[in-house]
């Protein structure tokens, strides 16, 4: 007998916990749990939020034994191209967790091989597909192959994987709007705006 959760495709994985709603108290609670973890996992949030966008969900992967091994934060707002609703889930995770690949709809626990494929597709010009700032540092993002209903971008920040998954696929242009990612474990902006729970983070989409 063991306490690990098991995925039929990936084997043992840490359980994923999602808050039923989002508020400052929920974020503070998650950050308190994170503070007890030996290796801090960033809790990335766009800040300042682009016009019309709000935070719509938060979750974490891990248990009382392993601590927080991955974090997820959902944001919702207007699609930069289509004009309809759009959702973006930002994930930071330690290697071997597989939360980001699950949301991106891609196989495996880590995206290294997919980043390599994205670089190979550059035909000798392996420039990033998007550029943001994470924790004050320039951070390149590579678009990796994912299902047609979304776009998935991958990078590294603070020594961990960073994913940005957007629905619909055109919402990936959100990342072209000079996005700055702030680690909420370094302080939660009091002006942060919250909205109704994202169905993508809740697994109801």
């Amino acid at each position: 007998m063991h306490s690990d959760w098991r995925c039929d495709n990936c084997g043992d994985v840490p359980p994923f916990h999602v808050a039923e709603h989002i508020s400052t108290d929920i974020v503070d609670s998650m950050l308190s749990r994170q503070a007890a973890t030996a290796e801090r996992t960033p809790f990335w949030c766009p800040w300042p939020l682009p016009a019309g966008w709000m935070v719509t969900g938060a979750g974490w992967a891990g248990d009382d034994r392993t601590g927080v091994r991955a974090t997820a934060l959902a944001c919702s707002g207007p699609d930069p191209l289509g004009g309809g609703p759009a959702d973006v889930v930002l994930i930071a995770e330690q290697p071997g967790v597989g939360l980001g690949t699950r949301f991106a709809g891609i196989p495996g626990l880590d995206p290294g091989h997919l980043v390599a494929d994205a670089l190979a597709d550059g035909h000798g010009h392996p420039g990033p597909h998007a550029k943001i700032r994470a924790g004050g540092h320039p951070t390149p993002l590579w678009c990796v192959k994912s299902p047609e209903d979304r776009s998935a971008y991958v990078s590294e920040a603070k020594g961990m994987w960073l994913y940005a998954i957007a629905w619909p696929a055109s919402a990936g242009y959100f990342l072209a709007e000079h996005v700055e990612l702030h680690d909420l474990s370094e302080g939660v902006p009091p002006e942060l705006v919250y909205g109704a729970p994202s169905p993508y983070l809740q697994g109801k989409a």
Side-chain angles (χ1 to χ4, degrees):
M1 296 292 291
H2 55 79
S3 61
D4 292 333
W5 288 55
R6 188 166 185 82
C7 168
D8 291 339
N9 296 321
C10 303
D12 293 341
V13 293
F16 183 49
H17 314 267
V18 180
E20 292 185 359
H21 62 278
I22 187 68
S23 67
T24 299
D25 290 342
I26 294 295
V27 172
D28 288 343
S29 175
M30 291 191 174
L31 293 175
S32 295
R33 178 178 292 276
Q34 161 111 305
T37 302
E39 187 174 8
R40 295 281 186 92
T41 304
F43 214 126
W44 295 120
C45 176
W47 188 256
L49 287 167
W53 283 75
M54 58 191 68
V55 175
T56 53
W60 62 280
D63 54 33
D64 292 337
R65 178 172 54 86
T66 64
V68 177
R69 298 193 58 206
T71 63
L73 185 130
C75 299
S76 303
D79 186 336
L81 293 184
D87 290 83
V88 174
V89 173
L90 297 167
I91 293 172
E93 70 176 34
Q94 300 172 18
V97 175
L99 184 64
T101 54
R102 169 189 161 187
F103 276 94
I106 54 182
L109 294 176
D110 290 320
H113 64 290
L114 294 171
V115 174
D117 290 345
L119 291 172
D121 287 343
H123 303 294
H125 301 282
H129 298 113
K131 296 179 180 180
I132 62 173
R133 291 181 67 84
H137 299 283
T139 304
L141 291 169
W142 283 271
C143 185
V144 298
K145 292 180 180 179
S146 61
E148 294 182 356
D149 66 333
R150 73 200 74 178
S151 56
Y153 293 80
V154 180
S155 187
E156 288 186 70
K158 291 191 175 182
M160 300 187 186
W161 290 117
L162 166 63
Y163 294 81
I165 303 107
W167 293 265
S170 59
Y173 283 93
F174 168 88
L175 299 168
E177 298 184 346
H178 307 291
V179 172
E180 295 257 359
L181 297 186
H182 167 67
D183 183 358
L184 294 180
S185 65
E186 297 178 355
V188 180
E191 304 89 355
L192 210 57
V193 180
Y194 303 98
S198 167
Y200 294 97
L201 194 60
Q202 297 282 345
K204 299 176 181 177

